[in-house]
Amino acid sequence: MLDAPPFGLAQADKAARLVPVLDALTRHHRASCPAYRRLTDVLGRGDRPATTLAEVPWLPVGLWKSHRLVSVPDDQITTTLTSSGTTGQVPSRVYLDHDTARRQARALARVLTHVLGPRRVPMIIVDHGGVLRDRAAFSARGAGVLGMMTFGAQPRFVLDADHALDRAGLADFLARHGDAPFLIFGFTYMIWAYFYEQVRDLGLDLRNATLIHSGGWKVLAERAVDNATFRSALTAATGLTRIYNFYGMVEQIGSVFLEGDDGLLYPPTFADVLIRDPLTLAPAPIGTPGVIQTVSALPTSYPGHSVLTEDLGVIERVDDGDRRGHALRMLGRVPRAELRGCSDTHAAAVTP
Amino acid sequence: MKVVCRVPDRGEVELAELLRGLVAAPPGQPYADDVVELCQQFGARLMADPVARVHPELMTLGFFMRKAELARGKREHEAAARQDLVQVPAGLVFHVPPANVDTIFMYSWLLSVLAGNTNVVRLSSRSAPVVDHLCALLDELLAAPRHADARARVAMIQYGHDDAITAAISAHAAIRVIWGGDATVATIRRAPLPPYGRDLTFADRWSLMALDAATVAALAPAELVALAEQLFNDIFWFDQAACSSPRLCLWIGTGALVATVRDRLWSAVADVATARGLRPEVALRMARELFVHQAVLDGPVVGRTDYGAALTVARVDRLDGLSRAHPGGGLLFEAIAPSLASLDRWVTRRDQTLTHFGFARHELIELAQRLAGRGIDRLVPVGQALHLARFWDGYDLLAQLVRNVHVVG
């Protein structure tokens, strides 16, 4: 599946290939992860095989914050990924063995070379070098940066620890590499808040760049910046036109949904997306917004092949967007609830 | 130090000045006529209020303050009188109600004002429209000259998390009433009371219901719907997050009998939820889903059934190992036991209310005696889980809010 073109399959073909793989993963994790077996016995379908994507049992994404979910013996765990939870929040913990990590790296390469081409080009990282320092327990941000660095050459970090732009460094990079294709990578809110805001009036020419960005839209939504605004503002200020957002999460690293020129997100061949009604959790029809469930053929070291996220989205098109398969529009996070109750601390304790 | 005084509506005021006025206010008397009348007027206004119609918890408050109910309270109070006791107000009472249950501040004030006390009520600074509405209503009634004394004895105020203000008020409080659970109790207790002062504290609590399976099985269809309506009120008011909201349903009977009725009953509760237009908040629904997964890994959950979007029932095969964690918002644990007495080993001080259906009075009394104070302070019929009353959390609130002067002549 990893060898197939990442966006080449029509939805029906893709589902026909994915379902047996996901079903095999369900069986593998049931056999290898006692917690997963108990969950699927009590809440899921037990031993009954899934015949459609919607029948593949899912786990809520928050479970990686509270429980250790592993499908390999401890001595095979090579990397522990943690989400970059903000202070006070419990981070997700995802356990990788050699095989899963390698598969995820290959998968990410399949998706990104689709827009970057096979050749490694010089790369600007909109972050500061310190983000890589803590190698023991990777933050998702550090892991993301490190993962992306394999797709560029001569990487240059252009922010300092206080997020100030290294103008001289950026000018030097552009003088050396600005006339040929190059890559810019950063997290979405950092691109906006620390890159765009600091370069918008510099008259830079970034026409030869491909921008890859990822991460939540929460900060930007608070500033009333949506994807269309993000794109048009960057194009107007710098000439950048090849702008690709991708949607991914630490629980399914490698399985990223890449933005097409239409601004919609496309899951690659080895992954897919379903939308569920946020109240009944039944599959929602195409075009109906709901909670995003993502499936991925990649993870074997932890039972993360089917995850119910806390993000809202809508599948806008099937097989007739920029690419084939499901075309997803993100609609943001599930809003927090104002919990009532006699105990004033209650809300803080249980809100996801 | 300044606070915002909402009742009487005076806006921002200097705290020291406010406290001077309250301390100097003329003391009342338990069940004095003017105060009974004030409460009665308030209740009557509430029962006729269009805003209250859409907030069932306000109707319950209004019911609690209606004429007959107040008269009954007064009769009980007088009947309990002893010749050698003169009951007098405790003095200045400082109420710290929870931020998230809109009506508790009124119950807390009401019981204390009936005892004749002077009251400072701390309102949450993120108060809901319902709170604003109740404050405006009370303020309007207090404007009558007849209620001048009652007006001088109350201040409902708002201030941020300012320990200095809490301390300044506490320094004058004969009694401090702390709702809001463990964390609030711990925070407010840091401020000392005068040597004669004491706290009435309301810790985090957990509640359950018990249904007699044979009684439920024998219900005619219309009776089952009536039961479902009571259960709906118990479970869904305040998003199932009040201390007395039932979170566990304990069926008393055999597994075979329960199997014939459980589905019918929960479907009927779900139908009530649909008929009343209940739509859970998405975040609460998602939190419930995550919680159920966590509960399967951490506890004795052996099955789950969803009844519409509103209600999830998680079956447990034993109470041992069932923790008191709960996400609120439409999740019931469900267990089967041969008798009420089997609660004996499981109940702890955390457990507050048992709402019941189908039991004889003597069975309930036997359970209370058997538990002997280890837990469960209220056993009330289904439908009354959230009816705050004079007897709460093991206290006789009214008795706690008066002083008994012993007079031997």
Side-chain angles (χ1 to χ4, degrees), chain B residues 142-157:
Chain B
L142 283 171
R146 175 159 167 67
H147 295 313
D149 283 357
R151 190 172 190 268
R153 288 199 299 265
V154 63
M156 297 200 178
I157 60 173

Side-chain angles (χ1 to χ4, degrees), chain A residues 34-36 38-39 41-43 58-63 66-67 69 278-281 291 308-312 334-347 350-352, chain B residues 57 98-102 104 126 180-181 183-184 204 238-239 241-243 279-287 289-290 292-294 296-304 309 326-327:
Chain A
Y36 185 75
R38 178 157 167 75
L39 286 167
D41 277 343
V42 175
L43 302 175
W58 43 260
L59 298 185
V61 69
L63 212 55
S66 58
H67 288 78
L69 301 165
L279 295 185
T280 65
L281 301 181
V291 180
L308 188 70
T309 73
E310 289 160 5
D311 295 319
L312 299 171
V334 169
R336 287 172 70 101
E338 177 71 50
L339 253 198
R340 306 167 87 185
C342 296
S343 169
D344 282 338
T345 52
H346 200 78
V350 300
T351 305
Chain B
E57 66 271 27
N100 299 326
V101 178
D102 307 331
I104 285 185
R126 52 190 166 103
T184 308
D204 291 341
F238 302 115
D239 292 334
C243 49
R279 274 179 67 82
E281 268 189 76
V282 170
L284 273 184
R285 177 69 187 86
M286 300 295 288
E289 201 55 37
L290 174 60
V292 168
H293 281 74
Q294 291 166 332
V296 167
L297 294 181
D298 298 338
V301 175
V302 294
R304 85 63 92 78
H326 193 276

Side-chain angles (χ1 to χ4, degrees), chain B residues 173-253:
Chain B
I175 298 177
R176 193 166 52 181
V177 186
I178 313 173
W179 306 82
D182 295 6
T184 308
V185 170
T187 306
I188 301 293
R189 264 190 181 159
R190 292 201 303 251
L193 289 168
Y196 57 84
R198 65 200 157 82
D199 280 327
L200 289 189
T201 56
F202 296 91
D204 291 341
R205 302 299 295 269
W206 209 87
S207 294
L208 65 154
M209 65 166 109
L211 307 179
D212 181 65
T215 310
V216 179
L219 293 178
E223 293 170 326
L224 189 82
V225 171
L227 172 61
E229 282 172 348
Q230 303 292 348
L231 296 183
F232 174 87
N233 291 342
D234 287 347
I235 298 168
F236 290 101
W237 284 13
F238 302 115
D239 292 334
Q240 204 186 6
C243 49
S244 58
S245 307
R247 283 125 183 224
L248 163 70
C249 172
L250 187 69
W251 290 95
I252 306 301

Side-chain angles (χ1 to χ4, degrees), chain B residues 39-50 52 133 136-137 140-141:
Chain B
C39 296
Q40 200 176 300
Q41 287 172 341
F42 190 91
R45 285 287 294 271
L46 215 48
M47 299 294 274
D49 189 301
H133 187 70
L137 195 55
E140 193 189 317
L141 294 172

Side-chain angles (χ1 to χ4, degrees), chain A residues 251-303:
Chain A
E251 293 79 7
Q252 282 189 346
I253 276 201
S255 173
V256 297
F257 296 9
L258 189 69
E259 185 178 9
D261 292 329
D262 52 9
L264 299 175
L265 296 159
Y266 290 84
T269 317
F270 49 83
D272 210 342
V273 58
L274 287 85
I275 302 296
R276 290 187 179 272
D277 180 289
L279 295 185
T280 65
L281 301 181
I286 300 300
T288 304
V291 180
I292 295 174
Q293 177 192 349
T294 62
V295 295
S296 164
L298 302 176
T300 49
S301 62
Y302 64 96

Side-chain angles (χ1 to χ4, degrees), chain B residues 41-374:
Chain B
Q41 287 172 341
F42 190 91
R45 285 287 294 271
L46 215 48
M47 299 294 274
D49 189 301
V51 174
R53 291 252 168 70
V54 293
H55 290 279
E57 66 271 27
L58 295 191
M59 295 305 278
T60 309
L61 178 64
F63 190 82
F64 192 68
M65 293 170 95
R66 80 198 197 290
K67 193 172 180 177
E69 198 67 17
L70 290 162
R72 191 170 65 83
K74 184 170 183 171
R75 273 200 312 277
E76 278 177 16
H77 170 72
E78 286 167 354
R82 281 170 52 141
Q83 277 202 326
D84 59 345
L85 287 184
V86 178
Q87 294 207 314
V88 298
L92 190 135
V93 180
F94 178 24
H95 305 260
V96 186
N100 299 326
V101 178
D102 307 331
T103 50
I104 285 185
F105 79 102
M106 283 302 298
Y107 285 104
S108 195
W109 168 79
L110 174 75
L111 287 158
S112 184
V113 80
L114 285 172
N117 292 313
T118 299
N119 297 286
V120 179
V121 181
R122 181 192 172 169
L123 302 174
S124 165
S125 24
R126 52 190 166 103
S127 73
V130 166
V131 173
D132 296 341
H133 187 70
L134 292 174
C135 285
L137 195 55
L138 182 60
D139 195 48
E140 193 189 317
L141 294 172
L142 283 171
R146 175 159 167 67
H147 295 313
D149 283 357
R151 190 172 190 268
R153 288 199 299 265
V154 63
M156 297 200 178
I157 60 173
Q158 286 176 314
Y159 62 91
H161 288 280
D162 188 334
D163 291 348
I165 294 176
T166 301
I169 302 168
S170 297
H172 290 280
I175 298 177
R176 193 166 52 181
V177 186
I178 313 173
W179 306 82
D182 295 6
T184 308
V185 170
T187 306
I188 301 293
R189 264 190 181 159
R190 292 201 303 251
L193 289 168
Y196 57 84
R198 65 200 157 82
D199 280 327
L200 289 189
T201 56
F202 296 91
D204 291 341
R205 302 299 295 269
W206 209 87
S207 294
L208 65 154
M209 65 166 109
L211 307 179
D212 181 65
T215 310
V216 179
L219 293 178
E223 293 170 326
L224 189 82
V225 171
L227 172 61
E229 282 172 348
Q230 303 292 348
L231 296 183
F232 174 87
N233 291 342
D234 287 347
I235 298 168
F236 290 101
W237 284 13
F238 302 115
D239 292 334
Q240 204 186 6
C243 49
S244 58
S245 307
R247 283 125 183 224
L248 163 70
C249 172
L250 187 69
W251 290 95
I252 306 301
T254 63
L257 188 57
V258 173
T260 65
V261 296
R262 54 180 305 280
D263 217 44
R264 271 203 309 150
L265 180 63
W266 302 135
S267 299
V269 172
D271 289 346
V272 175
T274 307
R276 306 239 180 127
L278 182 88
R279 274 179 67 82
E281 268 189 76
V282 170
L284 273 184
R285 177 69 187 86
M286 300 295 288
R288 188 205 305 167
E289 201 55 37
L290 174 60
F291 182 88
V292 168
H293 281 74
Q294 291 166 332
V296 167
L297 294 181
D298 298 338
V301 175
V302 294
R304 85 63 92 78
T305 314
D306 287 327
Y307 295 89
L311 180 66
T312 296
V313 178
R315 290 194 303 285
V316 298
D317 60 357
R318 59 185 190 281
L319 292 182
D320 291 345
L322 175 65
S323 90
R324 264 61 166 191
H326 193 276
L331 172 72
L332 264 188
F333 291 109
E334 183 185 47
I336 303 172
S339 69
L340 273 181
S342 56
L343 274 172
D344 194 5
R345 284 190 310 130
W346 184 70
V347 161
T348 69
R349 191 104 288 288
R350 276 267 169 263
D351 302 311
Q352 185 211 52
T353 296
L354 178 105
T355 36
H356 56 80
F357 182 78
F359 300 98
R361 193 179 145 67
H362 72 87
E363 292 177 273
L364 303 169
I365 287 178
E366 272 164 30
L367 176 64
Q369 287 169 339
R370 175 185 275 265
L371 292 172
R374 270 167 291 160

